[in-house]
Amino acid sequence: MIIVLKPEATKKEIQHIEDKIRELGLKPMLSAGKERTIIGVIGEEDKARIQPFEAFPGVESVMPIQKPYKFVSREFKKENSLIKLGPNVEIGGERIIVMAGPCTVESRERLLHIAEIVKKSGARVLRGGAFKPRTSPYSFQGLKDKGMKFLYEAKKKAGLPIVTEIMDPRDLPLFIKYADVIQIGARNMQNFELLKEVGKTKKPVLLKRGMASTIKDFLLSAEYVFSEGNHNVILCERGIRTFEDSTRFTLDISAVPVIKKLSHLPVVIDPSHCSGIWDYVAPLSKAAVAVGADGLLIEVHDDPEKALCDGPQALKPHKFDVLMNELRQIAKAVGRSI
């Protein structure tokens, strides 16, 4: 349930409500929005119902939340969430944020070179994998700790926040130290212990949809992060498994408006992983902007033929630059910018 506070509610009144929630063995979650300030109650709702919170000073009303994903739903928060990814980068507002870079960090020199390339074309965040989940145990698994340090150096030199994927909660201190955004990959979308651990941090989390997950499953995974106190969650649609085999996965473009109706969280599209073919990245990116996505996650490589991971889906720098110019026109047409 959510407890809607009166505009004039005092700190003392709010503290009294939170203390009572804790006495019931539940967890309060205070959220101050533009329209209203509310306290979300985490835990078994039946326990909360025995307490007449409507009678408490400072309380305007008490509302049950019907959705199973309580705090990522529009019922909990009406306005869109804005999430800071860096000092001058925010996602969820008017500007569409492009996150670009190589699939995996291959070397210091190459990463620094690509970082400057994508920044020049207008990317606002640098992407790159230091830890790589691969289907085959014999494929390149990433540079791990060394790759994280290279990413951090690229961040400092290019002035771009970095997003990179975590696979093991034991590596979390490394991500807290070096990363700006922690990515949870599709294979780990329902790794609930990992979700809870990143939920205990304040780092923004980019959560990718599982390849066989419904939107309800997706939002419930985001709820795990939220329920631990981390409200900085970004959702990423990256294609789902269908009977179609012309592309690696099938991009569920309808997920963007559906999620935006159900949730207040920003939504990003990954056109590279869903298609698996660089030729399709541009049209899918344009569709994502047109349908209302808040960001794009695009793979860029200066020599895809020699890439250690996912070369066929990476855009060459000049192709990425052309795409960014085309995306600016589409964004302007729908009242946004890049």
Side-chain angles (χ1 to χ4, degrees):
M1 68 165 57
I2 58 174
I3 299 169
V4 183
L5 302 175
K6 293 178 179 177
E8 66 272 17
T10 66
K11 289 183 179 180
K12 186 176 180 180
E13 290 170 340
I14 294 172
Q15 186 63 53
H16 177 58
I17 297 165
E18 291 180 322
D19 290 343
K20 183 57 68 175
I21 291 169
R22 292 188 184 96
E23 285 178 20
L24 295 171
L26 304 170
K27 182 179 176 182
M29 183 182 291
L30 185 68
S31 176
K34 292 180 181 178
E35 299 178 7
R36 58 184 182 176
T37 298
I38 63 177
I39 299 175
V41 182
I42 298 176
E44 297 178 31
E45 200 156 295
D46 288 343
K47 288 184 180 180
R49 289 198 187 102
I50 66 174
Q51 186 69 52
F53 285 108
E54 294 91 338
F56 279 47
V59 173
E60 183 176 286
S61 62
V62 176
M63 300 165 51
I65 298 179
Q66 303 301 323
K67 298 287 191 299
Y69 38 89
K70 307 295 184 183
F71 299 107
V72 306
S73 72
R74 283 283 181 192
E75 293 175 82
F76 179 69
K77 185 178 180 183
K78 297 296 183 186
E79 64 268 19
N80 294 333
S81 285
L82 299 175
I83 298 172
K84 287 187 72 67
L85 308 183
N88 303 305
V89 184
E90 188 175 65
I91 192 167
E94 178 269 340
R95 184 187 288 273
I96 298 165
I97 302 300
V98 177
M99 309 174 192
C103 178
T104 187
V105 179
E106 299 174 359
S107 70
R108 173 183 175 275
E109 294 73 20
R110 171 156 276 154
L111 181 65
L112 293 176
H113 178 56
I114 295 175
E116 291 296 340
I117 286 171
V118 298
K119 180 183 180 181
K120 185 177 179 181
S121 293
R124 305 273 290 175
V125 177
L126 175 65
R127 61 144 296 148
F131 296 83
K132 293 303 298 180
R134 306 299 299 277
T135 302
S136 169
Y138 309 113
S139 299
F140 178 65
Q141 306 289 314
L143 296 179
K144 300 180 170 52
D145 298 38
K146 187 187 293 185
M148 294 294 290
K149 292 173 183 176
F150 291 162
L151 282 165
Y152 188 71
E153 184 180 352
K155 164 190 172 175
K156 293 297 184 183
K157 291 198 172 182
L160 295 175
I162 56 174
V163 54
T164 189
E165 182 174 352
I166 191 170
M167 295 167 58
D168 190 328
R170 291 173 294 185
D171 294 319
L172 195 53
L174 198 63
F175 282 75
I176 291 172
K177 182 177 181 179
Y178 291 121
D180 296 283
V181 184
I182 301 174
Q183 178 180 311
I184 303 290
R187 292 174 176 85
N188 276 315
M189 189 204 83
Q190 290 184 311
N191 183 341
F192 301 125
E193 292 306 314
L194 179 59
L195 295 176
K196 286 189 281 187
E197 288 303 311
V198 299
K200 294 172 185 175
T201 77
K202 296 302 179 185
K203 289 277 185 179
V205 175
L206 179 73
L207 178 63
K208 285 196 167 188
R209 182 181 178 184
M211 60 190 75
S213 300
T214 65
I215 288 175
K216 179 181 176 182
D217 295 335
F218 193 20
L219 293 174
L220 281 168
S221 289
E223 188 81 2
Y224 266 91
V225 180
F226 235 77
S227 67
E228 292 294 334
N230 188 347
H231 302 178
N232 301 307
V233 182
I234 306 154
L235 302 173
C236 181
E237 164 61 40
R238 44 82 73 205
I240 53 176
R241 183 80 72 186
T242 69
F243 59 82
E244 182 54 65
D245 61 3
S246 297
T247 53
R248 180 187 285 176
F249 297 101
T250 300
L251 178 62
D252 183 6
I253 198 74
S254 66
V256 177
V258 171
I259 291 172
K260 282 185 166 290
K261 182 177 181 180
L262 298 174
S263 175
H264 54 86
L265 299 178
V267 185
V268 168
I269 288 283
D270 178 349
S272 302
H273 277 92
C274 68
S275 63
I277 303 169
W278 71 265
D279 243 352
Y280 302 144
V281 170
L284 294 178
S285 298
K286 295 172 190 176
V289 171
V291 83
D294 298 298
L296 291 162
L297 192 67
I298 299 175
E299 290 189 7
V300 178
H301 198 288
D302 59 344
D303 192 357
E305 292 181 10
K306 296 180 181 178
L308 297 179
C309 180
D310 288 344
Q313 67 196 34
L315 289 181
K316 291 182 178 180
H318 72 281
K319 291 283 187 183
F320 178 66
D321 193 59
V322 169
L323 173 60
M324 289 294 288
N325 287 324
E326 294 173 338
L327 293 177
R328 289 186 184 97
Q329 298 175 46
I330 298 171
K332 184 177 180 181
V334 295
R336 303 182 77 176
S337 64
I338 288 183

